[in-house]
Amino acid sequence: MPIQIVRNDITKMEVDAIVNAANNTLLGGGGVDGCIHRAAGKDLLEECRTLGGCETGQAKITKGYNLPCKYVIHTVGPIWHGGNHGEKALLESCYKSSLALAKEYGCETVAFPLISAGVYRYPKAQALQVAVDMITSFLLENDMLVYIVIFDKSSFQISEKLFSDIASYIDDKYVEANFEFIHTRTDDAGRSVLLGETNILPEETKTNPPTAQCYPTAPMPASASLQDMVNQIDESFSQMLLRKIDEKGMTDAQCYKKANVDRKLFSKIRGDIHYRPSKTTVIAFAIALELSLDETKDILMKAGFALSHSNKFDIIIEYFISHKNYNIFEINEALFAFDQSLLGA
Ligand code: AR6
């Protein structure tokens, strides 16, 4: 996945380069700058002294010293003065200059903190939007794996309205799913038992909800041999994906980039009609192709998966698809807000 949002301490990231949210002197400070200098050791400061500072919106590169990365790219974000003082353009320029340096030094993996979103007071949601937009447009032309590293959960917040809409959607769907389950539960003697409370369901059942089964589309006559049945094998996930890409008039690259799926992974899927992708990969393609809910269920089934109402992750995906919101980053923000794993993470 070329862009990933992860929650971590950036000094722990094992990547080619991490980006530092520095100040014009490049001589260290608080926040992420302080963490990076502490973890890298005093040689980093020695090298920084030779650089002659850095303009706001520009970037300079040093070695990583004791950090697990090869390089540190130091960029200086704008201080937020209300938004009418060119802050956005300067912040965009931080990402552009840092990515250009990373490319010049042959970096394949880079990790950014949310530049300006701490001491410099740039509103976190807007800072995140600039980061996502700039990295996404860079990745349309370049191959690199870029992480946005979020330190505190509040940096990654969806609006209260969206949060409460999704929360009530989850509540509704959970109720539906659990009622269905209550009705179908049987006791040891095979009798139907009406259960009053969902929390008496076995733990294992809650964590591994039943998923839909896959059947061939047309029923087979009872006399059909195993060979007949195997010969009737349905269109595979890979075949369906390639067909949908054509039907939507997209190129392969448009599709896998929009899905935030790595080119190498896409080549594997293209080259092997029986390729078994992960569930999040299938969903990422469904979002990129803007498939309807039924089509999404269909393509998931091709890969042996289903959307379950006993699973928050699935309900959030269903919420976005049924609201025709196919913005993968907004979906990830919502997944993050509900403590679910992210698409592509
Ligand atoms: N890993 C990842 N993110 C972090 C970490 C960490 N270890 N520590 C903080 N953050 P800030 P700025 C997040 O203040 O706003 C310094 O003094 C933090 O939660 O570090 O660009 C410099 O010398 C926030 O979301 O940078 C400058 O004077 C984001 O990193 C000034 O601060 C950026 O917060 C730069 O301010």
Side-chain angles (χ1 to χ4, degrees):
M1 293 275 181
I3 175 167
Q4 285 196 18
I5 300 176
V6 294
R7 195 151 163 225
N8 203 350
D9 173 348
I10 203 163
T11 63
K12 306 279 188 299
M13 295 290 294
E14 295 186 9
V15 284
D16 293 332
I18 63 170
V19 178
N20 180 17
N23 58 47
N24 296 114
T25 69
L26 296 188
L27 299 180
V32 72
D33 196 6
C35 295
I36 289 174
H37 274 273
R38 272 192 298 281
K42 59 179 176 25
D43 290 342
L44 176 63
L45 183 59
E46 285 311 309
E47 187 176 354
C48 283
R49 284 192 208 286
T50 66
L51 299 177
C54 181
E55 300 278 308
T56 304
Q58 300 302 306
K60 296 205 174 166
I61 193 163
T62 62
K63 295 200 275 296
Y65 299 100
N66 296 337
L67 289 159
C69 56
K70 261 189 264 170
Y71 302 108
V72 179
I73 295 171
H74 306 261
T75 189
V76 184
I79 299 175
W80 180 259
H81 290 296
N84 293 323
H85 295 79
E87 292 94 330
K88 184 163 183 271
L90 285 168
L91 188 57
E92 288 174 350
S93 168
C94 287
Y95 285 94
K96 271 196 212 146
S97 323
S98 303
L99 288 165
L101 262 183
K103 184 177 171 181
E104 190 186 324
Y105 280 73
C107 299
E108 292 180 354
T109 48
V110 177
F112 280 88
L114 270 190
I115 297 164
S116 283
V119 175
Y120 284 175
R121 300 185 316 273
Y122 206 105
K124 288 182 194 278
Q126 292 177 49
L128 177 63
Q129 193 62 53
V130 170
V132 168
D133 290 348
M134 298 313 295
I135 295 167
T136 308
S137 61
F138 175 82
L139 291 175
L140 289 176
E141 308 290 333
N142 297 280
D143 270 334
M144 204 182 271
L145 173 57
V146 183
Y147 295 92
I148 300 177
V149 181
I150 306 289
F151 200 47
D152 51 332
K153 197 169 176 199
S154 66
S155 301
F156 201 42
Q157 269 183 351
I158 52 176
S159 76
E160 272 178 36
K161 159 125 183 43
L162 182 57
F163 189 93
S164 67
D165 276 2
I166 297 173
S168 53
Y169 193 84
I170 290 172
D171 280 350
D172 290 350
K173 300 295 174 189
Y174 255 145
V175 169
E176 259 174 42
N178 288 326
F179 265 119
E180 277 164 24
F181 202 71
I182 287 163
H183 285 300
T184 57
R185 184 157 159 71
T186 48
D187 69 5
D188 293 343
R191 290 179 304 247
S192 277
V193 179
L194 189 63
L195 298 175
E197 291 200 12
T198 54
N199 61 11
I200 55 177
L201 294 178
E203 270 315 309
E204 191 191 328
T205 318
K206 287 193 228 162
T207 48
N208 299 310
T211 51
Q213 309 237 341
C214 302
Y215 297 104
T217 38
M220 284 279 178
S223 60
S225 70
L226 179 59
Q227 188 61 51
D228 290 339
M229 291 182 82
V230 172
N231 288 345
Q232 291 272 321
I233 193 164
D234 221 359
E235 183 185 39
S236 71
F237 164 77
S238 159
Q239 290 167 321
M240 182 171 181
L241 174 67
L242 299 176
R243 174 170 63 79
K244 288 280 179 198
I245 292 175
D246 287 346
E247 282 172 11
K248 299 276 172 180
M250 291 174 101
T251 64
D252 289 355
Q254 280 168 339
C255 182
Y256 69 71
K257 287 194 167 171
K258 191 166 169 211
N260 198 25
V261 166
D262 179 70
R263 180 172 48 86
K264 290 187 202 120
L265 173 58
F266 184 82
S267 304
K268 274 193 210 157
I269 296 172
R270 181 173 251 303
D272 175 2
I273 64 163
H274 300 301
Y275 188 84
R276 297 295 295 267
S278 70
K279 184 170 175 180
T280 50
T281 300
V282 182
I283 290 176
F285 278 118
I287 302 291
L289 288 162
E290 306 195 354
L291 299 185
S292 68
L293 199 52
D294 283 344
E295 289 172 314
T296 302
K297 288 177 179 166
D298 216 21
I299 200 165
L300 273 166
M301 200 169 74
K302 301 284 180 198
F305 302 113
L307 286 180
S308 158
H309 281 178
S310 305
N311 179 328
K312 265 191 203 174
F313 175 91
D314 289 6
I315 296 173
I316 293 169
I317 296 298
E318 187 177 312
Y319 173 91
F320 277 90
I321 293 177
S322 48
H323 286 75
K324 297 196 179 359
N325 181 342
Y326 294 102
N327 184 327
I328 204 156
F329 298 105
E330 280 181 31
I331 298 172
N332 271 341
E333 283 170 19
L335 290 169
F336 192 85
F338 284 91
D339 287 323
Q340 300 300 301
S341 47
L342 307 186
L343 290 179

